[in-house]
Amino acid sequence: MVSFDAQAILARLAALRSADAPTHGGRVLSYVYDSGVPAIDELATEAMRLVQPVNGLDPTTFTSVAVMEREVVGFARELLHGGDDVVGSVTSGGTESCLLAVKTARDAWRAEAAARGEAEAVRPRILAPITVHAAFHKAAEYFDLELDLVPVDPATGRLDPERLVERLGSDVALTVVSAPSYPFGTLDPVEEVAAACEEAGVALHVDGCIGGWILPLWRADDGGALPAWDFRVPGVTSVSADLHKYGYAPKGASVLLQRGRDRQRRQYFATTGWPGYPVVNPTLLGSKSAGSLAASWAIVQALGARGFAELAESCRRSTRALADLVADIEGLRVLGAPTGPLLAIASDDAVPPERRVDPHHWADRVRRRGWHLQLQPGLAQPDGTRLPHTTHLTVTPVTGSRLDELEAALRASADEARGVPPVDAEAVLAQLPGAASLPPAGLDSDTAAELLGALGLAGRDGDGGLPPEQAPLLALIEALPRPVTERLLIELLARIVEPR
Ligand SMILES: *Cc1c(COP(=O)(O)O)cnc(C)c1O
């Protein structure tokens, strides 16, 4: 029998964990969704422990998996106003839900194109506003579709539905809109887009990954209801909603709902063409944990619609308070008119440059005070306009308990950063002679690592953390040609996990 020192092993893990950004208490305004209710976390932990050895691959052998999934999907369907033709799956997260929505749509499109006798020659398109989540870039790459991105209004982040609708065509396998979009928190014009998609016979996915478990319970600022964006809208063929965001579940759970059994069955993979057990997978994984499903199921039982509504209301109040605060800080502004618990903060161009606050310098200073905001780079759109660089806040129920402290940090940091000009990307590039002409295709691993070293970003000695000042890094991301940046970022992340 092997013997081991469990205490020592766990002590080392605890030490490693203590270097992580804090997952509870509201100091990290991205990545983590703290309900602020410890009993919810304890319930989730216990549920995960109970199913720890289960293989979620086979709900006929482990029947608890079938019951939990059925009940979670049923709850989500009611929340999102689906009828009994709406069916679904629990997936491992938002990305998997989005990938599967695209795979389903591509296969349905192929079948229809073949029936029309059109098939082969055309590469199908995903049509979406540029604010659509990067998971759809990934899906396009994995499943070989064209990604056709429609510019949004750079001042507000809003999609003019006409600009998308005019690009519909028989080669579009899937249109995607968001409820709301991650970068700017904008609720896309779902009804307008859905009407046009339905008329054109094009499938429409509503990406409710971040909003799916909170927008159904969200009141508009005037106290009224939001425009319909879920299965109430004819023409919506699928909706994704992440349990591990505003479902407050541990990471590894999302729901993908699809309208129409025949459509949804295209999501599945099945084969009896090998000598092993017959394989039937609704999702990308084979063997899988039942842990996050069990945790999600338990949380849904515990909170119910009333519990989710209470937590949503807390998020709404905090988001309102933070938006009002930003409006009151000279030099910053909230981008557009977000719907839901997300805010993107930009520099206020209406004041003279010496009174402006660069949102990235601001975020770096807020971080020195112990709060983690998320920096988002500026982006050139296909029509030549430019989306400004912003700082992103994800508000959760726990935010309300720390609002005064957070507000003080946001104000003091703005006072420090006011008038400091944005990082000059050209100056950053000058550190890297010839960077703009780098051949990304020919950039091998060691050359990429050398470049990272020249930029002070080689992770060899550290444990993978980024430098405390992120504004220069973001400026670099904006300034370098995209393929070069992407290659360098891959190198940065890959080297972090290389054995030492
Ligand atoms: C988070 C998110 C996703 C991707 O989800 P992951 O859970 O990170 O894989 C997709 N769309 C939107 C709008 C999101 O906010």
Side-chain angles (χ1 to χ4, degrees):
M1 187 44 208
V2 279
S3 73
F4 54 86
D5 184 347
Q7 245 181 346
I9 295 167
L10 294 176
R12 170 140 194 258
L13 179 54
L16 294 173
R17 283 283 288 115
S18 70
D20 284 343
T23 54
H24 287 81
R27 285 200 165 261
V28 179
L29 286 96
S30 60
Y31 300 126
V32 289
Y33 299 75
D34 183 357
S35 67
V37 184
I40 290 293
D41 287 339
E42 285 153 24
L43 175 69
T45 305
E46 209 41 52
M48 289 179 91
R49 186 194 295 276
L50 273 171
V51 300
Q52 189 181 340
V54 165
N55 191 341
L57 167 70
D58 185 356
T60 67
T61 302
F62 303 103
T63 54
S64 64
V65 172
V67 176
M68 290 188 292
E69 183 159 358
R70 185 192 302 151
E71 293 186 7
V72 170
V73 167
F75 187 90
R77 176 168 82 177
E78 217 172 293
L79 199 62
L80 299 169
H81 303 101
D84 70 2
D85 60 337
V86 169
V87 288
S89 309
V90 173
T91 71
S92 65
T95 297
E96 190 178 17
S97 291
C98 297
L99 290 175
L100 288 170
V102 170
K103 184 212 114 62
T104 303
R106 184 202 62 180
D107 291 356
W109 178 89
R110 275 184 185 164
E112 282 159 27
R116 286 197 303 265
E118 288 172 16
E120 278 86 74
V122 195
R123 191 161 179 246
R125 251 188 307 147
I126 300 173
L127 177 62
I130 197 165
T131 45
V132 78
H133 195 276
F136 292 93
H137 293 237
K138 189 175 186 176
E141 192 170 306
Y142 278 18
F143 298 129
D144 194 27
L145 292 92
E146 199 74 50
L147 183 60
D148 186 6
L149 296 173
V150 181
V152 297
D153 181 336
T156 63
R158 281 189 60 83
L159 169 72
D160 171 356
E162 273 311 306
R163 293 190 76 176
L164 181 141
V165 166
E166 70 192 15
R167 303 190 62 80
L168 282 168
S170 63
D171 62 329
V172 177
L174 184 67
T175 300
V176 184
V177 288
S178 306
S181 76
Y182 184 84
F184 306 140
T186 315
L187 176 58
D188 282 330
V190 177
E191 285 171 305
E192 292 88 332
V193 170
C197 285
E198 199 179 23
E199 199 183 312
V202 171
L204 173 63
H205 180 76
V206 176
D207 181 3
C209 277
I210 201 151
W213 289 86
I214 192 165
L215 283 201
L217 307 154
W218 195 265
R219 290 186 292 122
D221 282 337
D222 62 9
L226 303 180
W229 56 270
D230 58 14
F231 285 108
R232 275 175 295 186
V233 182
V236 169
T237 47
S238 53
V239 178
S240 50
D242 291 355
L243 287 152
H244 65 202
K245 288 178 181 159
Y246 289 96
Y248 310 107
K251 291 293 176 260
S254 169
V255 174
L256 174 61
L257 296 179
Q258 306 227 39
R259 199 191 311 256
R261 286 182 178 73
D262 290 319
R263 174 180 188 78
Q264 194 246 6
R265 301 314 187 232
R266 296 187 189 279
Q267 180 189 311
Y268 279 67
F269 171 81
T271 184
T272 50
W274 74 313
Y277 58 90
V279 169
V280 189
N281 294 157
T283 61
L284 294 174
L285 301 180
S287 287
K288 60 185 179 187
S289 164
S292 3
L293 167 63
S296 302
W297 174 85
I299 292 170
V300 163
Q301 306 289 310
L303 288 177
R306 296 247 312 262
F308 281 114
E310 259 177 53
L311 295 173
E313 181 55 20
S314 160
C315 293
R316 199 190 62 81
R317 278 196 305 268
S318 300
T319 309
R320 187 70 258 157
L322 288 168
D324 289 346
L325 171 82
V326 169
D328 190 50
I329 295 180
E330 187 187 14
L332 288 175
R333 70 182 171 104
V334 172
L335 192 107
T339 303
L342 310 177
L343 295 172
I345 317 286
S347 177
D348 184 1
D349 297 336
V351 301
E354 69 274 12
R355 302 301 300 164
R356 286 179 202 159
V357 177
D358 176 72
H360 289 176
H361 286 322
W362 178 60
D364 278 341
R365 283 161 178 78
V366 173
R367 189 189 178 98
R368 285 188 212 147
R369 294 179 163 82
W371 300 83
H372 301 243
L373 312 181
Q374 194 171 53
L375 290 75
Q376 304 188 125
L379 185 69
Q381 302 202 88
D383 65 357
T385 60
R386 197 170 172 79
L387 298 172
H389 66 282
T390 54
T391 288
H392 192 272
L393 275 66
T394 301
V395 178
T396 60
V398 80
T399 311
S401 63
R402 310 289 295 272
L403 214 46
D404 292 345
E405 269 174 275
L406 174 59
E407 291 194 356
L410 298 183
R411 273 192 197 279
S413 304
D415 289 342
E416 265 175 40
R418 188 166 297 113
V420 179
V423 176
D424 177 3
E426 295 312 312
V428 177
L429 272 185
Q431 287 175 266
L432 267 190
S437 54
L438 285 171
L443 204 52
D444 62 42
S445 167
D446 287 341
T447 313
E450 267 174 49
L451 283 168
L452 288 170
L455 291 163
L457 290 172
R460 275 266 150 209
D461 302 325
D463 277 314
L466 290 173
E469 301 290 307
Q470 292 193 9
L473 177 60
L474 271 283
L476 193 70
I477 288 173
E478 287 183 32
L480 283 171
R482 232 183 86 188
V484 175
T485 320
E486 288 162 358
R487 180 65 188 84
L488 290 179
L489 291 174
I490 287 171
E491 199 59 35
L492 181 70
L493 270 289
R495 296 224 172 207
I496 286 175
V497 296
E498 280 189 17
R500 306 269 162 92

